[in-house]
Amino acid sequence: MLERHGFERIETGQLVDTYARSKFEDTRAKAQKFGARGTTLKAYKPEL
């Protein structure tokens, strides 16, 4: 999808446990149950 919008050199980072440090136990439990992970994304769009 990013390529369709003109982005190039698309890079993704490693998956991390985004909610592992939440102060709410129920948030941590739900994230673990559903396997919630987060990552970083970097993409470049050439100047026109």
Side-chain angles (χ1 to χ4, degrees):
M1 176 165 42
L2 291 172
E3 290 174 338
R4 281 189 295 178
H5 292 281
F7 287 91
E8 302 173 342
R9 298 182 356 226
I10 301 164
E11 304 170 11
T12 58
Q14 295 180 351
L15 289 174
V16 295
D17 292 329
T18 306
Y19 299 100
R21 294 185 184 175
S22 173
K23 66 180 180 177
F24 303 106
E25 173 60 33
D26 63 329
T27 299
R28 293 191 307 270
K30 287 177 185 175
Q32 185 174 12
K33 176 181 177 181
F34 292 106
R37 303 283 187 270
T39 188
T40 56
L41 179 72
K42 187 186 332 182
Y44 300 87
K45 192 162 189 179
E47 294 185 33
L48 299 175

